Amino acid sequence: MQATPHRPYHHGDLRRAIIETALDMLRTEKDWQFTLREVARRAGVSHAAPYKHFPDRTALLVELAMIGFDRLREALLDAKPEAPRSLLEEITPISLAYVAFGTDNPALYRLMFSAEEGRAVGMHLDQRALAVFEVVLDMLGRGQAAGTIRKRPVRGQATAAWALIHGITLLAIDGLLVPEKVGSAPLEAAIATLVDGLAIPQPNT
Amino acid sequence: MQATPHRPYHHGDLRRAIIETALDMLRTEKDWQFTLREVARRAGVSHAAPYKHFPDRTALLVELAMIGFDRLREALLDAKPEAPRSLLEEITPISLAYVAFGTDNPALYRLMFSAEEGRAVGMHLDQRALAVFEVVLDMLGRGQAAGTIRKRPVRGQATAAWALIHGITLLAIDGLLVPEKVGSAPLEAAIATLVDGLAIPQPNT
DNA sequence: ACCTGAACACCGTTCAAGT
DNA sequence: ACCTGAACACCGTTCAAGT
């Protein structure tokens, strides 16, 4: 195989190229209507080519969503402090990392939770989403064991924590967390209330 | 004007009819891709007719979203108990009413928060959304005054409460609140943690 | 085995023309 | 003043044909 002056007929690894291109456009083009034809265009292939690698548009969406959940999980694990000295010291950086992931990748984050059709079709997506849930679950479980958080059904606490952070992330993406309306530092304030709800109650607080 | 055996050329109140038809389809057709042409079809007019009443598709979306926020606000006010004897007694029914609104009108609820373009164009939508926020704000403000909830910046608490319920609602819509994965009665459990975070700490809890 | 081009049934939007 | 029909530039998806 010598260097080809023109695009070769066969693309080599079109599947990966399509995914990469889509992620790229999701990152750069804000408020982009995900369109298969444009992905193909930017990848330099005909609009029919993707169908050799994905059964339909939804399948690509699901693939992207799974990648998104994996990356989110990694971001959370990376943000986990080595030796947190308090519950707050552990919850805050993880929460901030979560919200940052969402606001840095708004289109991808949206997509992760709105590939409804995909959710109906396969359980793979749910699995990835619940892997994120388990990061929270694990954190709170260790907190309970260490005696820093309340003894309550830990899955309920994890659900509350996930929902709160998920909600904050989406409100932020939607531009509804404007300080003038909702108070200054809304993110930190909301996390404070979450910590209040998880921490062992201190009568003097 | 006598009774007309055939559809009159002029529709009477097409604007309202379009909105009504759209709300209807949003309610009945699950996972429906909102399409202007189909709304027109069901309303019994040509696909171009709606353009006399709405500048574009987004304008109709925004209109529907505003109606959604108004209805949500009313549902919350209706759910507010007459004379709550405790914080929990007031927060729980309102929270349940909120989530119920979302799960009963999943398509509309989604739409309310994803008419991005509309959000960019006008502030009207944000106003309606923040009217909902103010219901929460008011509830917590009275709670602080009555001494049933912690003294913290009330806007931060309201943000936390809204985000948590918003998050729960979306997770429920997305089918991610399955008891097998997330624990039984996830909704009640999450609300319990929210109440923990808002209530004046009791050392014995 | 992998990609292209034409084709089909859809959209949103516009605009001259009808009532 | 309000609605229609044809038209344009898009989509997703399929399929025979090319390499």
Side-chain angles (χ1 to χ4, degrees), chain A residues 141-152:
Chain A
R142 283 183 293 101
Q144 276 204 4
T148 55
I149 80 170
R150 296 179 203 232
K151 296 285 192 291
R152 292 257 164 149

Side-chain angles (χ1 to χ4, degrees), chain A residues 9 35-37 41 47-48 51 56-57:
Chain A
Y9 191 86
T35 151
L36 220 42
R37 282 176 108 113
R41 218 175 283 136
H47 60 261
Y51 286 87
D56 56 17
R57 190 190 115 110

Side-chain angles (χ1 to χ4, degrees), chain A residues 39 89 123 172 176:
Chain A
V39 175
E89 231 175 68
M123 296 278 79
L176 248 19

Side-chain angles (χ1 to χ4, degrees), chain A residues 63-113:
Chain A
E63 188 85 30
L64 296 170
M66 294 201 296
I67 293 172
F69 278 117
D70 289 347
R71 289 188 181 177
L72 172 55
R73 185 165 170 280
E74 279 165 35
L76 297 187
L77 294 176
D78 285 355
K80 194 191 308 207
E82 301 283 325
R85 268 165 303 179
S86 72
L87 180 67
L88 196 145
E89 231 175 68
E90 184 167 10
I91 290 183
T92 302
I94 293 188
S95 300
L96 292 176
Y98 190 112
V99 177
F101 179 89
T103 51
D104 287 350
N105 310 279
L108 180 58
Y109 191 80
R110 264 246 168 68
L111 197 143
M112 285 158 58
F113 288 91

